[in-house]
Amino acid sequence: MLEFNYEIIGLVAATLTTSAFIPQVYKVYKEKNAAGISLTMYLILFTGVSLWFLYGFLIGSISVVLANGITLILMGIIIYYKLKE
């Protein structure tokens, strides 16, 4: 019997959830405007994703580290434009 690598599920989930931020980042970057975005929500989410990143690093899960690392970058862009307003 072949052994299934559960990390594959994590990588697929990571790709989907992380890529969900791309349209928002694109819109904010293109318009140079983040007026309709809640800063509080993004700061709370940024803190949670930072903790998920740390958790993934501590348990050695590449899917958790990659997803949350990339998501932190994408959210950082949105937060930057929100603070720039």
Side-chain angles (χ1 to χ4, degrees):
M1 181 171 170
L2 296 174
E3 184 173 322
F4 184 76
N5 186 347
Y6 295 108
E7 200 68 24
I8 293 171
I9 294 172
L11 289 169
V12 171
T15 300
L16 294 172
T17 57
T18 299
S19 65
F21 282 92
I22 294 172
Q24 187 69 64
V25 171
Y26 178 75
K27 183 178 188 293
V28 168
Y29 177 77
K30 183 178 176 187
E31 297 176 1
K32 307 287 191 242
N33 183 353
I37 292 174
S38 167
L39 179 60
T40 303
M41 178 273 212
Y42 266 90
L43 291 175
I44 293 168
L45 186 59
F46 188 88
T47 303
V49 171
S50 297
L51 292 172
W52 274 113
F53 177 84
L54 177 61
Y55 172 75
F57 178 77
L58 292 173
I59 67 169
S61 173
I62 190 69
S63 61
V64 176
V65 169
L66 279 176
N68 291 292
I70 294 168
T71 301
L72 285 172
I73 293 167
L74 295 172
M75 286 194 314
I77 293 168
I78 293 171
I79 291 169
Y80 167 79
Y81 279 103
K82 184 64 181 176
L83 292 173
K84 193 175 168 185
E85 289 185 338

